[in-house]
Amino acid sequence: MAALGKHLVNGIVSLVISVGFTVGMADDGDGPWDLRDMVLAVGLSAFLSGFFTSYFAK
């Protein structure tokens, strides 16, 4: 069970870094996507990437 916590932490770290970078680099352009939608997509993708990379890296 402790290993699952390690993988969750890696997913959360990946999420925070990716969302922070995305929000920091976003501009107020009139693109087709809302910033909220973009952050949601980036956050989900980053979390899953960090989690499964950590899980399968053994």
Side-chain angles (χ1 to χ4, degrees), residues 16-56:
V16 169
I17 291 170
S18 297
V19 167
F21 186 78
T22 300
V23 170
M25 295 301 292
D27 59 0
D28 291 334
D30 44 333
W33 298 284
D34 185 38
L35 180 60
R36 185 183 63 100
D37 296 336
M38 183 63 74
V39 167
L40 180 63
V42 167
L44 180 61
S45 174
F47 175 79
L48 292 175
S49 176
F51 179 85
F52 285 117
T53 298
S54 176
Y55 182 80
F56 289 113

